[in-house]
Amino acid sequence: MLQRKSPIAAIRVRPRRPATVGLAVAVLVVALPHHGAAAAWTDAPSAMAAAGPGAPGVTPADLRFRRDTLRYGSAREVGLLAEPVARMPADLAGYLEPTPDHPAHPTYAGAVVLAAKDGVIVQHAAVGTAVRYGAVGPAPELPGVELPADQRIPARPDTIFDLASVSKLFTTIVVLQQVERGRVDLDAPVARYVPEFAAGGKAAVTVRMLLTHTSGLPAFTPLWSAYPTPAQRLAAALATPLAPGASPGGGYVYSDLGLIALGVLVERVTGRPLADLVRDGVTAPLGMRDTGYNPGPGLRPRIAATEYQPYAGRGMVWGEVHDENAWSLGGVAGHAGVFSTAADLAVLCQSLLNGGEYRGRRVLRPETVRTMLVNYNAPLEAAYPESDRGLGFELNKHWYMMGLSSPVTFGHTGFTGTSLVIDPISHSFVILLSNRVHPDRNWGSNNVARRAVARDLAEAMPVRPRSAEAWRADPRDAATVTLTAALRRPARGGTAEFLLWYDTEPRFDGARVETSTDGGTTWTPVRMTLRHGGQRWSSDGTVTGYGGRVWWRASLRLPDGATHLRWSSSTDASSQGRGGYVDRIMATDRNGVLFHGEGADAGRLRAEGWSPART
């Protein structure tokens, strides 16, 4: 049961207003559709595949946990640029009406964003309405039937939202708590703890497989409409067979049924209800007083409404869990059912950045948090590009994490329009809570807004140029941009050096360094060596994915007769990292300087979709 006061809500919310290198080089940034981009980057050897020891990477073992306690403060005091942080509310407010990237309907009726770094909450704002519609009109338009103005409820920073699948994270944590206590073995069959789960070919399915969605279970089954009682629905969930052709551990399918089974598992091994385990193991120790299942009727005015569900006999769902299966199971299930506020979720995020502890109360051991962030699905990436997952948490998902992504960035989304992104490298996170299904799920996804707030926080983290002549590829979707420089004369025994900073969506986005020996008509990738500190690695001329968030000193040999040098990179149609930068370009040969980006040759650069980088 939810309680009424939140420890962070008690803190006064401050009012907030809505809101490269010098070388004879051509740099090309191309935005391609996902499948086309993937083909373009996988047909040739990738920079990562070609890299040797020292190539950029980060693992959970590299993380350094802090002991921060949340407080409100300014962007500047934690080294962030103020403008991208300040524009978050305005960016969210823009989606209260149809937009070019979400044209048919508003993205949501209301939303709340909270962003923090190093324990400082730098943005916490609400836009729109928590309750706006009373019904939905007929298809195909599905118009929202608005409530009278005096019955609408504006969204507030402390509005309570139905978290939908973000609830899975609470189930994950209580499962891992039982692993810490020795009651559950991650690699034991689930049937050891829930014997009836073995039905349907699932005897070999392990706890770890359920947490990583590799069990072979189907994604969903309509328990709520197919079975008449909660007991029968739960029994049916546990008896659901593997999907046709599936084998445990052999593939990836995101499955609600697996988390329903994990909720039952922890109840069996502890003899206690899941709601009590979440309360006593997570929300109470962390002081998350606005978080729990089945909120009481007194909290209804603070809760965001979700969907009009006449097909389930529910009308406009408001104050009850939106997910039909969770609702039909009494409001508490392993896959859905938790309600919370942005401030409470901020405490959960900060506890994980702290290694499982907040204000002296520990919910997970540091080694458990590290274990949780290992990408156990890495062997499946080629066949299932969106499968990257730790235990319960998603990893490195640019489609909503954007420039906060890294191999250890973790988070989750919820069907109702919720998401959280936690970047342990920068000790930051961003939470977006919305009621995008209000009044109807068919109004569309809120991924555009998820990307917007993640992009804003990432853009607030400055990339510091090393000279006044640095360049950055403009952050465009589905666009080709180039930065080209002509050498003073054809090279003879020449070399080039430059600084490179890159962060792109792995496989789908990337950068390439190329040379031309015919005046820029044709281009060939050129092998380069990259160094930073004691790290050194080589690339066939392409880079993609996580670049370590550092400046690499790149060096290469120019082919005889080279007349131009360029970087070329690609982005797909929607998701990006923090992009590509170049700085301090210099090319020479046996006869002297071929190009000096910080000198007289700066004017010889031809920028098409590149801009000077000032931060």
Side-chain angles (χ1 to χ4, degrees):
M1 183 71 70
L2 296 180
Q3 300 180 44
R4 292 183 179 275
K5 294 182 180 179
S6 165
I8 292 189
I11 302 175
R12 182 173 63 88
V13 180
R14 297 182 182 182
R16 299 184 183 276
R17 288 175 289 181
T20 296
V21 200
L23 176 54
V25 179
V27 187
L28 169 69
V29 176
V30 193
L32 302 171
H34 256 85
H35 297 297
W41 287 101
T42 56
D43 286 349
S46 74
M48 294 304 183
V58 62
T59 73
D62 299 318
L63 300 179
R64 298 294 176 262
F65 297 127
R66 299 167 60 102
R67 299 189 65 182
D68 291 321
T69 299
L70 291 167
R71 62 181 178 84
Y72 288 89
S74 70
R76 286 190 174 90
E77 67 183 281
V78 286
L80 296 177
L81 302 175
E83 192 277 330
V85 172
R87 71 171 176 247
M88 285 183 180
D91 284 349
L92 288 184
Y95 289 110
L96 296 173
E97 301 293 337
T99 58
D101 53 2
H102 199 282
H105 299 281
T107 301
Y108 37 62
V112 173
V113 63
L114 188 151
K117 176 173 167 52
D118 297 338
V120 176
I121 298 172
V122 297
Q123 183 61 270
H124 186 188
V127 300
T129 51
V131 181
R132 179 172 179 172
Y133 304 98
V136 174
E141 291 83 7
L142 300 172
V145 179
E146 293 191 333
L147 294 167
D150 62 352
Q151 294 181 30
R152 301 175 199 170
I153 300 176
R156 310 185 324 191
D158 66 347
T159 293
I160 297 168
F161 287 82
D162 178 341
L163 299 186
S165 284
V166 174
S167 306
K168 292 178 170 74
L169 304 183
F170 293 84
T171 305
T172 295
I173 291 171
V174 297
V175 168
L176 294 178
Q177 288 173 339
Q178 300 312 311
V179 173
E180 289 185 346
R181 292 169 173 80
R183 293 173 176 168
V184 174
D185 181 343
L186 286 172
D187 295 311
V190 176
R192 175 187 295 180
Y193 311 103
V194 186
E196 65 268 38
F197 184 81
K202 304 194 299 297
V205 172
T206 67
V207 176
R208 190 188 304 272
M209 291 175 190
L210 294 186
L211 288 168
T212 57
H213 296 270
T214 57
S215 67
L217 279 167
F220 169 83
T221 191
L223 303 170
W224 68 275
S225 61
Y227 303 93
T229 68
Q232 289 173 304
R233 294 167 189 141
L234 200 57
L238 297 175
T240 300
L242 297 182
S247 61
Y252 171 80
V253 174
Y254 176 74
S255 176
D256 282 355
L257 297 170
L259 269 294
I260 291 174
L262 285 174
V264 174
L265 183 151
V266 291
E267 291 186 334
R268 295 282 181 89
V269 300
T270 63
R272 303 184 63 206
L274 176 62
D276 291 356
L277 294 170
V278 169
R279 181 195 63 214
D280 295 343
V282 185
T283 62
L286 296 180
M288 299 170 64
R289 298 189 182 96
D290 280 333
T291 304
Y293 302 87
N294 289 325
L299 289 172
R300 196 168 187 246
R302 285 185 57 199
I303 298 173
T306 53
E307 189 176 27
Y308 185 57
Q309 294 184 352
Y311 58 86
R314 304 181 71 188
M316 182 60 70
V317 179
W318 180 21
E320 292 183 335
V321 62
H322 167 266
D323 182 272
E324 297 95 336
N325 281 346
W327 165 69
S328 74
L329 292 170
V332 181
H335 72 297
V338 176
F339 287 72
S340 189
T341 63
D344 268 13
L345 287 176
V347 174
L348 178 66
C349 294
Q350 190 62 55
S351 74
L352 296 171
L353 288 175
N354 290 354
E357 176 268 339
Y358 189 75
R359 283 184 171 171
R361 303 295 301 273
R362 183 162 293 284
V363 294
L364 289 174
R365 299 170 185 164
E367 58 268 28
T368 300
V369 177
R370 295 185 197 279
T371 299
M372 190 175 68
L373 303 183
V374 173
N375 182 12
Y376 297 99
N377 292 352
L380 300 175
E381 281 183 346
Y384 302 91
E386 289 298 325
S387 66
D388 290 356
R389 279 188 175 266
L391 299 177
F393 285 83
E394 295 184 305
L395 300 174
N396 205 21
K397 297 296 177 68
H398 283 71
W399 64 267
Y400 71 96
M401 297 177 177
M402 293 292 281
L404 299 177
S405 300
S406 77
V408 292
T409 299
F410 57 109
H412 214 284
T413 63
F415 188 80
T416 50
T418 58
S419 59
L420 53 87
V421 181
I422 308 171
D423 175 11
I425 299 174
S426 65
H427 302 284
S428 65
F429 59 86
V430 63
I431 297 161
L432 176 63
L433 303 180
S434 81
N435 53 354
R436 72 100 188 164
V437 296
H438 184 55
D440 191 280
R441 71 186 67 189
N442 294 307
W443 279 22
S445 161
N446 70 321
N447 287 342
V448 289
R450 288 168 170 154
R451 287 192 284 270
V453 295
R455 180 182 61 243
D456 286 343
L457 184 55
E459 287 288 310
M461 299 177 190
V463 175
R464 304 290 184 188
R466 295 300 189 259
S467 81
E469 301 297 335
W471 292 84
R472 181 192 183 186
D474 293 346
R476 302 179 184 179
D477 289 328
T480 299
V481 297
T482 62
L483 178 68
T484 306
L487 304 181
R488 296 179 184 179
R489 60 185 177 278
R492 292 289 181 268
T495 61
E497 287 193 354
F498 56 90
L499 299 181
L500 173 67
W501 196 105
Y502 71 93
D503 179 77
T504 76
E505 184 180 16
R507 299 181 298 275
F508 302 122
D509 300 354
R512 180 181 288 121
V513 180
E514 301 170 308
T515 59
S516 174
T517 58
D518 57 8
T521 301
T522 60
W523 298 91
T524 303
V526 58
R527 192 166 188 83
M528 59 182 172
T529 300
L530 298 100
R531 299 175 179 83
H532 173 77
Q535 294 178 278
R536 172 177 171 154
W537 60 288
S538 62
S539 160
D540 61 0
T542 62
V543 292
T544 183
Y546 176 71
R549 300 184 185 175
V550 298
W551 285 97
W552 294 92
R553 181 172 296 279
S555 58
L556 55 89
R557 292 187 178 277
L558 295 168
D560 282 349
T563 59
H564 295 75
L565 176 67
R566 80 178 182 186
W567 293 274
S568 114
S569 54
S570 71
T571 63
D572 66 7
S574 61
S575 307
Q576 295 186 26
R578 292 168 68 183
Y581 297 74
V582 291
D583 200 352
R584 289 187 175 171
I585 307 168
M586 176 67 73
T588 60
D589 70 358
R590 65 186 65 162
N591 296 314
V593 174
L594 292 168
F595 186 89
H596 184 200
E598 297 175 65
D601 295 319
R604 296 164 61 87
L605 285 168
R606 187 174 75 250
E608 298 176 276
W610 283 68
S611 301
R614 301 304 184 207
T615 56

